[in-house]
């Protein structure tokens, strides 16, 4: 919703060069994962409620989100020096950009008839959920890299 423009700009910068793909991986990964999780918790149910005929589109979006997460997981396992890291990261970026276009074209129009109050409530729910999810994702990444009593991971 409100973060799509910022996310698309981050993806554009992330994809610009191999160096930016490495440098912006954590930021892009966190933003993409937080966006996906928030949409699954807040936006997609609102779309289903607003227009049940779009349920298939919502299912498609969720399936695409799983593929994106798979690309991100693979890139993270490979690490920035791993063979195929750039390909997996670029595939995640491209797929996320495609998902955002799909949402704009096929999903978000279901919300056009919401009243200003309903839209404000949805925006507030979306914003607070995104902050909560983003904080959990960041904490989980930090815990993976710095496990208590263990050696930190050397890759993403």
């Amino acid at each position: 919703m409100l973060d799509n423009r910022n996310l698309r700009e981050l993806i554009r910068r992330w994809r610009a060069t191999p160096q930016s793909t490495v440098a912006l991986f954590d930021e892009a990964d966190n933003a993409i994962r937080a966006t996906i999780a928030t949409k699954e918790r807040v936006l997609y149910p609102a779309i289903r409620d607003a227009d049940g005929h779009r349920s298939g589109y919502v299912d498609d979006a969720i399936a695409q989100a799983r593929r994106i997460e798979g690309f991100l997981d693979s890139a993270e396992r490979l690490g920035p020096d791993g063979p195929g890291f750039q390909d997996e990261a670029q595939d995640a970026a491209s797929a996320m950009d495609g998902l955002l276009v799909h949402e704009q074209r096929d999903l978000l129009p279901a919300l056009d008839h919401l009243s200003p109050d309903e839209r404000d409530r949805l925006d507030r729910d979306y914003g607070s959920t995104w902050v909560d999810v983003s904080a959990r994702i960041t904490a989980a990444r930090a815990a993976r890299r710095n496990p208590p009593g263990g050696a930190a991971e050397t890759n993403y």
Side-chain angles (χ1 to χ4, degrees), residues 74-75 78-79 82-89:
S74 181
L78 291 167
F85 170 83
Q86 290 290 329
D87 293 336
E88 295 296 323

Side-chain angles (χ1 to χ4, degrees), residues 11-78:
I11 289 169
R12 185 196 64 72
R13 289 186 294 119
W14 184 38
R15 296 179 81 183
T17 67
Q19 295 80 12
S20 66
T21 301
V22 170
L24 294 174
F25 182 80
D26 285 353
E27 181 182 356
D29 181 78
N30 288 350
I32 289 169
R33 289 179 191 273
T35 298
I36 286 171
T38 302
K39 288 180 177 183
E40 289 180 8
R41 291 181 185 156
V42 178
L43 180 64
Y44 296 162
I47 291 168
R48 285 187 201 274
D49 289 345
D51 184 351
H53 293 90
R54 294 182 194 259
S55 286
Y57 289 141
V58 171
D59 293 342
D60 291 344
I62 291 169
Q64 180 69 358
R66 294 295 82 76
R67 285 189 292 279
I68 293 164
E69 289 172 333
F71 291 136
L72 292 171
D73 291 345
S74 181
E76 188 172 20
R77 277 190 307 275
L78 291 167

Side-chain angles (χ1 to χ4, degrees), residues 61-154:
I62 291 169
Q64 180 69 358
R66 294 295 82 76
R67 285 189 292 279
I68 293 164
E69 289 172 333
F71 291 136
L72 292 171
D73 291 345
S74 181
E76 188 172 20
R77 277 190 307 275
L78 291 167
D81 296 326
F85 170 83
Q86 290 290 329
D87 293 336
E88 295 296 323
Q90 291 297 321
D91 286 346
S94 178
M96 188 65 201
D97 200 41
L99 177 57
L100 295 173
V101 169
H102 169 56
E103 289 173 351
Q104 189 70 36
R105 182 188 61 226
D106 301 321
L107 298 175
L108 294 179
L111 305 176
D112 287 346
H113 73 280
L114 293 181
S115 72
D117 287 342
E118 291 170 322
R119 187 168 288 280
D120 286 345
R121 182 185 50 75
L122 183 60
D123 286 343
R124 280 192 310 276
D125 289 349
Y126 187 93
S128 64
T129 300
W130 194 93
V131 169
D132 292 344
V133 168
S134 182
R136 279 190 237 126
I137 289 169
T138 300
R141 172 168 277 141
R144 282 193 314 274
R145 289 195 176 157
N146 302 305
E153 292 184 15
T154 57

Side-chain angles (χ1 to χ4, degrees), residues 3-11 31-32 35 96 100:
D3 65 330
N4 285 356
R5 190 172 323 142
N6 292 334
L7 183 56
R8 288 189 88 185
E9 175 56 25
L10 174 59
I11 289 169
I32 289 169
T35 298
M96 188 65 201
L100 295 173

